[in-house]
């Protein structure tokens, strides 16, 4: 732990009335790496994500970004701090073209474009990078899921982030599309962007992430490399539903 | 330099078409002398302008306001009261009227923007109605009988004319100017922020847009324009009473935008040009036959448009073969790629020149 982490989460807790969705979760994200967050449905992954991104105020706990406390920052202040996010349920600007979707992003954040031309130029650059250039004049509501997921990433990238949060960016994609998405995420990471992602598809997590955090019932149950985590008995129990007694009987 | 040629050809054609359209409006009062017809066009001008003011909030930002008539009323009252009581020049007061309406809108709606969707609409209705009740019950505002502007000789300085023609031109200029401002907003940072908020507020926050800030900006721009239209209205009618601020008036300003196509800057103009003459025509020709039938017919037309063309007349036009025909054969519009290349070429050369 010689290097300072980009994102550090300490004792994050979220209670909705009586329900504790996330309980005392702590972890850190290394600069330049890809960190994954996995867990069964309802484990509190998205809630954790939304707290880190300023959408829900945490009930308890702190979030640090480069050592600075950002727990109480509002969602719209994040791109000014060079942090961008995507949404699990895609939120394209439906009635705008793909190009306009990205131009809108170019106008905001820490590197906001000064003129329409500058915004357009940068939007085209991002669209070429994400492979959406050919479809730039299509209305975004008319595109399929894979392209909308790409557009989510393009919009986030257009704000020139240093840290990118991806919320289930591969859900609903077929194997070929998943492979393409993995390729794109790796490309983004290689360009120097730190990534924290939530994912259900293990193939993606194993091939991309250097570190994985496992959540279950709102609590962190494991942390480590994908191999370590997948061989963790408790994680296996949670995912496969086998109790340790059953396992012994079977053997 | 094919790109340059294609684009400049298109620009020239576009200028000719728009210029011809403007020329028709400019010449019209010289040919048509009936004050009744001129009056209808003045209605078209100021109602379309109000509709554009609504459109920046309702169409562009997706915040459905139904209280725009109140801002127009505030503008009109400011002008009438200050001109009669303090005897200031109406043009000076018009600026004051815009400031007052903008300020009132900003201060009142700033806390209201935690309300979303229909709740915001309800607040806008309540605001308009409470303003009206306040004025009806206030001696200072002349209660229900309203305030009149002094009559007198024709004077540009007093913005006072016996004939309707000067108002016709003033209204036309006002409408074109507001359109130009709207077109400009649509193409810049504010426009993109407002459209992003309309599509999805969470997505807007994710790219760094402060939704409340931009919604207040939209409300204030909308109110300022409405305040100016209030000045125009007061000067034209030379009288203002609380009936100007009733709910029906606010709705009247929404219709041109919705019928024309609320997603487009041009929507209110197209809708206004069709719906207002239609409404006047129905009133003139059918109201005597069977009182109220004109309203029913108007409502039927409205229902048909909204049922079959929910994106408005322009929404239909944008997807139609008719537009394709006009773009290709008459305007000779180059493809989007060519336009984009041209825009980028200009940008590069300007960057190089600096």
């Amino acid at each position: 732990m010689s290097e300072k982490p980009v994102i550090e989460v300490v004792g994050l807790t979220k209670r909705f009335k009586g329900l504790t969705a996330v309980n005392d979760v702590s972890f850190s994200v290394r600069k330049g790496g890809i960190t994954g967050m996995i867990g069964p449905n309802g484990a509190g992954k998205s809630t954790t994500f939304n707290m880190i991104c300023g959408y829900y105020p945490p009930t308890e706990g702190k979030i640090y970004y480069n050592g600075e406390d950002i727990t109480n920052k509002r969602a719209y202040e994040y791109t000014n701090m060079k942090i961008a996010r995507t949404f699990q349920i895609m939120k394209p600007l439906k009635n705008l073209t793909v190009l306009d979707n990205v131009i809108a992003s170019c106008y905001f954040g820490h590197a906001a474009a000064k003129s329409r031309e500058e915004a357009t130029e940068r939007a085209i650059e991002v669209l070429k990078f994400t492979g959406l250039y050919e479809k730039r004049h299509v209305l975004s509501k008319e595109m399929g899921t894979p392209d909308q997921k790409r557009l989510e990433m393009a919009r986030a990238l257009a704000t020139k982030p240093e840290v990118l949060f991806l919320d289930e960016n591969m859900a609903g994609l077929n194997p070929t599309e998943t492979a393409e998405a993995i390729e794109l995420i790796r490309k983004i990471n290689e360009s120097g962007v730190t990534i924290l992602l939530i994912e259900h598809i293990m193939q993606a997590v194993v091939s991309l992430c250097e570190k994985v955090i496992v959540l279950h019932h709102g609590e962190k149950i494991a942390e480590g490399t994908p191999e370590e985590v997948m061989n963790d008995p408790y994680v296996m129990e949670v995912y496969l539903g086998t109790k340790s007694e059953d396992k012994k009987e079977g053997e | 330099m094919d790109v340059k040629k294609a684009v400049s050809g298109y620009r020239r054609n576009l200028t000719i078409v728009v210029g011809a359209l403007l020329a028709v409006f400019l010449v019209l009062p010289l040919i048509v002398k009936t004050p009744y017809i001129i009056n209808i066009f003045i209605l078209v001008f100021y109602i379309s302008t109000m509709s554009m003011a609504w459109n920046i909030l309702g169409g562009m930002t997706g915040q459905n306001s139904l209280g725009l008539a109140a801002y127009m009323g505030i503008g009109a009252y400011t002008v009438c009261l200050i001109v009669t009581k303090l005897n200031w020049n109406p043009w000076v007061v018009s600026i004051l009227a815009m400031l007052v309406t903008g300020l009132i809108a900003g201060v009142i709606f700033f806390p209201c923007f935690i309300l979303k969707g229909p709740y915001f609409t309800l607040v806008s209705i309540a605001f308009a109605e409470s303003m009206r009740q306040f004025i009806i019950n206030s001696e200072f505002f002349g209660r229900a009988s309203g305030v009149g502007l002094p009559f007198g000789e024709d004077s540009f300085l007093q913005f006072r004319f016996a004939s309707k023609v000067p108002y016709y031109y003033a209204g036309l200029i006002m409408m074109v100017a507001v359109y130009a401002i709207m077109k400009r907003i649509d193409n810049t940072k504010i426009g993109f922020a407002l459209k992003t908020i309309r599509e999805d507020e969470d997505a807007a926050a994710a790219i760094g847009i402060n939704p409340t800030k931009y919604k207040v900006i939209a409300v204030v721009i909308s109110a300022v324009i409405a305040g100016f239209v209030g000045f125009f209205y007061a000067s034209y009618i030379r009288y203002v009473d609380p009936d100007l601020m009733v709910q029906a008036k606010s709705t009247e300003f929404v219709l041109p935008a919705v019928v024309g196509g609320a997603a487009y800057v041009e929507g209110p103009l197209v809708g206004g040009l069709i719906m207002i003459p239609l409404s006047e025509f129905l009133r003139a020709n059918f109201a005597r036959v069977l009182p109220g039938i004109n309203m029913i017919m108007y409502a039927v037309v409205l229902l048909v448009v909204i049922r079959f063309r929910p994106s408005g007349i322009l929404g239909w036009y944008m997807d139609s073969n008719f537009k394709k025909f006009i773009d290709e054969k008459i305007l000779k519009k180059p493809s989007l790629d060519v336009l984009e290349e041209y825009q980028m070429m200009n940008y590069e050369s300007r960057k190089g020149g600096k």
Side-chain angles (χ1 to χ4, degrees), chain A residues 55 79 94 116-117 121 136, chain B residues 187 202 206 208 337 340 348:
Chain A
Y55 279 79
T79 49
K94 295 191 194 73
R116 176 68 185 264
E117 285 87 357
E121 186 182 53
R136 65 192 183 284
Chain B
N187 260 316
D202 283 340
D337 293 346
E340 195 179 284
E348 293 298 329

Side-chain angles (χ1 to χ4, degrees), chain A residues 141-215:
Chain A
K141 66 177 169 191
E142 285 163 5
M143 294 198 306
T145 306
D147 284 335
Q148 289 196 355
K149 295 255 174 193
R150 264 169 197 268
L151 181 59
E152 279 280 315
M153 279 202 261
R155 284 223 325 264
L157 283 178
T159 62
K160 290 198 177 168
E162 277 176 8
V163 180
L164 182 60
F165 292 149
L166 301 173
D167 192 352
E168 295 210 25
N169 228 270
M170 285 169 249
L173 303 188
N174 68 29
T176 327
E177 289 155 3
T178 306
E180 283 169 7
I182 291 175
E183 212 37 60
L184 179 58
I185 291 174
R186 186 164 290 138
K187 222 165 77 178
I188 294 169
N189 180 238
E190 276 163 9
S191 72
V193 180
T194 308
I195 292 175
L196 173 64
L197 54 85
I198 294 183
E199 202 48 72
H200 266 305
I201 299 174
M202 284 314 269
Q203 176 207 353
V205 174
V206 172
S207 66
L208 282 171
C209 301
E210 53 165 40
K211 184 171 125 181
V212 178
I213 296 144
V214 188
L215 292 187

Side-chain angles (χ1 to χ4, degrees), chain B residues 37-272:
Chain B
I37 302 286
I38 298 285
N39 177 51
I40 290 177
F41 275 99
I42 295 172
L43 280 178
V44 169
F45 295 153
Y46 85 75
I47 293 180
S48 298
T49 311
M50 282 304 280
S51 204
M52 281 191 277
W54 177 84
N55 201 29
I56 191 174
L57 203 55
M60 228 190 252
T61 325
Q63 306 298 313
N64 200 349
S65 156
L66 283 175
L68 211 57
Y71 300 130
M72 186 172 154
I74 293 170
Y77 266 104
T78 312
V79 170
C80 288
L81 284 171
I82 295 183
V83 169
T84 49
K85 299 206 172 179
L86 302 177
N87 212 6
W88 285 17
N89 181 286
W91 292 101
V92 178
V93 182
S94 79
I95 295 164
L96 197 71
M98 289 194 282
L99 287 177
V100 168
T101 39
L103 202 70
I104 290 178
V107 169
I108 290 202
F109 280 93
F110 181 67
C112 291
F113 268 126
I114 34 169
L115 300 170
K116 284 183 182 157
Y119 299 100
F120 171 74
T121 311
L122 288 175
V123 168
S124 70
I125 294 172
F127 164 72
E129 190 53 28
S130 51
M131 275 295 165
R132 196 170 76 88
Q133 292 299 336
F134 176 73
I135 285 172
I136 287 180
N137 290 297
S138 157
E139 194 63 55
F140 181 73
F141 288 97
R143 294 193 187 268
S145 53
V147 186
L149 278 177
F151 288 86
E153 281 170 25
D154 283 10
S155 145
F156 180 76
L157 266 179
Q158 293 298 322
F159 197 33
R160 181 170 62 201
F161 304 98
S163 154
K164 287 185 192 310
V165 177
Y167 292 111
Y168 174 97
Y169 285 113
L172 183 62
I173 292 167
M174 175 175 77
M175 184 178 79
V176 171
V178 170
Y179 170 73
I181 294 169
M182 288 297 156
K183 194 76 190 163
R184 177 98 190 103
I185 289 174
D186 189 49
N187 260 316
T188 45
K189 184 171 176 166
I190 297 179
F192 276 98
L194 298 182
K195 282 181 275 184
T196 308
I197 291 169
R198 172 187 72 197
E199 298 294 333
D200 196 308
E201 234 169 87
D202 283 340
I207 63 172
I209 296 166
N210 178 346
T212 312
K213 175 179 150 193
Y214 281 96
K215 281 196 272 189
V216 171
I217 290 178
V219 165
V220 170
I221 294 175
S222 172
V224 164
I225 294 169
F228 188 79
V229 178
F231 155 71
F232 176 83
Y233 175 89
S235 306
Y236 175 51
I237 308 284
R238 309 223 58 80
Y239 169 71
V240 54
D241 68 8
D243 271 357
L244 176 64
M245 297 159 93
V246 293
Q247 184 52 39
K249 281 277 182 192
S250 290
T251 318
E252 199 180 310
F253 301 139
V254 178
L255 292 182
V258 172
V259 171
Y264 306 93
V265 184
E266 292 83 3
L269 300 183
V270 174

